[in-house]
Amino acid sequence: MMLHVPNVLTRDQVLDMRDRLDAADWLDGKVTVGAQGARVKNNRQLPEHGAVSRELGQIVLDAVKASDLFFAAALPLRIVPPLFNRYEGGETYGLHVDGAMRPLVAGEGWLRTDLSCTLFLCDPEDYDGGELEVVDTYGTHEVKLPAGDLILYPSTSLHQVTPVTRGARVCSFFWLQSLVRDGTQRQMLFDLDMNIRKIRAQLGDSAEVLGLTAHYHNLIRQWAEA
Ligand code: NI
């Protein structure tokens, strides 16, 4: 599933973040990839454990946790601390797949990457290039969203960021492990949830809506691993 989640951050939150990010020290982005990624990754990242990453990452986490749509689609079990990247002057990240496992904070074990998230912190007109291209069984999808919006996509997909030829592309990115590992089951739960919400808006809390809501929760009980 690929899902566009609009307005995860407010305009003021984006502007505050950009001020702090523009003043920060950036490192070569190869620090967080394995050997395949390192050959094609040419961008910059904020130091993973630095104060700016931690503080801004917490704002991103609070924002996604407050998003009903994000929660319904991702059913997150664990989320890694968000990272931040920057591309300019032709920087790019060629076709790659994200690593299957990511370490959590020291001593807390590992997270399986089920879903990858990119939260845009620049508007599309601020830069040329820098499209996120995600390849799935239905073809290649090009993503370039307004500042404050997020894209959720399967970590199993091959994807790339095309060269940024004007301006700078600044984003937050992170991975999560879902309560529901299987993408098809997760998609079915999301569709069911969205349709129950629409029916409830039309009919109120009828017996049928209650029955479908029970069915939704019972499917989560069947499929969730925590
Ligand atoms: Ni990636």
Side-chain angles (χ1 to χ4, degrees):
M1 170 203 297
M2 282 186 74
L3 183 76
H4 172 186
V5 184
N7 304 314
V8 169
L9 294 178
T10 65
R11 178 61 43 173
D12 283 347
Q13 284 177 312
V14 169
L15 293 176
D16 284 351
M17 242 181 226
R18 285 300 307 278
D19 282 346
R20 295 201 56 190
L21 291 170
D22 288 346
D25 291 325
W26 294 80
L27 298 175
D28 188 321
K30 294 192 198 322
V31 287
T32 51
V33 280
Q36 191 274 330
R39 279 196 294 278
V40 291
K41 188 174 186 182
N42 172 24
N43 68 356
R44 277 160 301 145
Q45 266 177 226
L46 271 196
E48 211 172 335
H49 304 294
V52 182
S53 280
R54 277 208 315 275
E55 288 166 28
L56 300 187
Q58 191 57 51
I59 296 172
V60 171
L61 276 184
D62 291 344
V64 295
K65 285 178 181 168
S67 166
D68 221 23
L69 185 61
F70 177 87
F71 188 88
L75 298 171
L77 171 63
R78 285 188 269 275
I79 305 178
V80 296
L83 301 171
F84 295 85
N85 62 15
R86 183 178 180 101
Y87 298 77
E88 62 191 318
E91 286 173 330
T92 181
Y93 193 170
L95 203 61
H96 66 279
V97 68
D98 294 341
M101 305 298 290
R102 298 277 314 171
L104 287 165
V105 184
E108 291 183 22
W110 294 81
L111 169 153
R112 185 187 65 235
T113 56
D114 291 325
L115 288 165
S116 301
C117 306
T118 298
L119 172 61
F120 288 76
L121 298 172
C122 294
D123 282 311
E125 52 275 19
D126 295 343
Y127 57 99
D128 289 335
E131 284 85 6
L132 170 67
E133 292 185 349
V134 180
V135 183
D136 70 10
T137 47
Y138 298 104
T140 299
H141 309 276
E142 228 175 61
V143 184
K144 193 171 184 175
L145 299 179
D149 287 15
L150 176 145
I151 188 82
L152 200 62
Y153 61 98
S155 301
T156 49
S157 62
L158 290 175
H159 55 274
Q160 63 183 329
V161 176
T162 64
V164 173
T165 55
R166 177 187 64 86
R169 176 195 194 269
V170 181
C171 290
S172 176
F173 66 103
F174 54 94
W175 299 271
L176 66 89
Q177 181 170 337
S178 179
L179 286 163
V180 177
R181 179 179 195 160
D182 183 272
T184 305
Q185 291 175 336
R186 206 184 311 118
Q187 175 79 55
M188 289 164 66
L189 288 166
F190 180 62
D191 291 341
L192 180 60
D193 187 4
M194 291 297 110
N195 281 294
I196 291 172
R197 290 173 198 227
K198 286 181 199 155
I199 296 172
R200 180 181 289 121
Q202 289 167 21
L203 304 180
D205 277 316
S206 64
E208 292 79 7
V209 168
L210 186 60
L212 287 170
T213 304
H215 182 63
Y216 171 81
H217 284 281
N218 289 334
L219 283 175
I220 298 249
R221 279 187 191 92
Q222 289 291 318
W223 293 342
E225 32 172 76

